[in-house]
Amino acid sequence: APTGLIPKYEDLSLLFKEVLDKDYTKEDYIEQFTLRIPENLAKIERIQNIYNKLADVPQSLLKELDVLEGRLKDCQKKFGDYVNPDNFVEESK
């Protein structure tokens, strides 16, 4: 995902069953791991506004926020504002 790695549903479902003896539904997975792009972009903007006022913030951090913003905007163009986590599952090789 543009914001980092997310677990596969199948892995979480198995983990919940084996460790907690509980069912983990696909609906729970989708609700918890849907990428909410407008909210993430707003958070980045808030952080950038705070950090841009500070003198001692490493430029590498500001650059990384810009890169993350770009990845989110690219994803938004491709999938829309709210992205189902299944869109990020890589095929097994």
Side-chain angles (χ1 to χ4, degrees):
T3 56
L5 298 175
I6 58 173
K8 294 179 182 177
Y9 167 72
E10 294 77 15
D11 294 339
L12 282 178
S13 180
L14 183 63
L15 187 65
F16 267 70
K17 188 51 97 178
E18 288 180 354
V19 176
L20 302 173
D21 195 28
K22 293 185 178 184
D23 291 328
Y24 184 70
T25 67
K26 185 71 172 193
E27 292 78 20
D28 288 339
Y29 176 75
I30 291 170
E31 180 181 334
Q32 293 165 3
F33 289 97
T34 290
L35 181 59
R36 293 158 180 83
I37 294 178
E39 289 87 339
N40 277 271
L41 289 173
K43 184 182 291 187
I44 290 171
E45 183 178 354
R46 286 192 308 272
I47 293 169
Q48 287 171 326
N49 287 336
I50 292 168
Y51 286 172
N52 283 328
K53 295 175 186 174
L54 302 175
D56 58 348
V57 176
Q59 288 301 307
S60 59
L61 175 61
L62 298 175
K63 181 180 176 185
E64 192 60 37
L65 288 171
D66 288 340
V67 169
L68 176 58
E69 181 181 33
R71 288 194 313 256
L72 285 166
K73 287 180 178 180
D74 289 345
C75 184
Q76 187 177 40
K77 287 178 189 172
K78 185 174 182 180
F79 297 111
D81 287 341
Y82 298 94
V83 186
N84 185 309
D86 290 337
N87 287 301
F88 306 117
V89 175
E90 290 186 27
E91 295 296 321
S92 298
K93 296 179 182 178

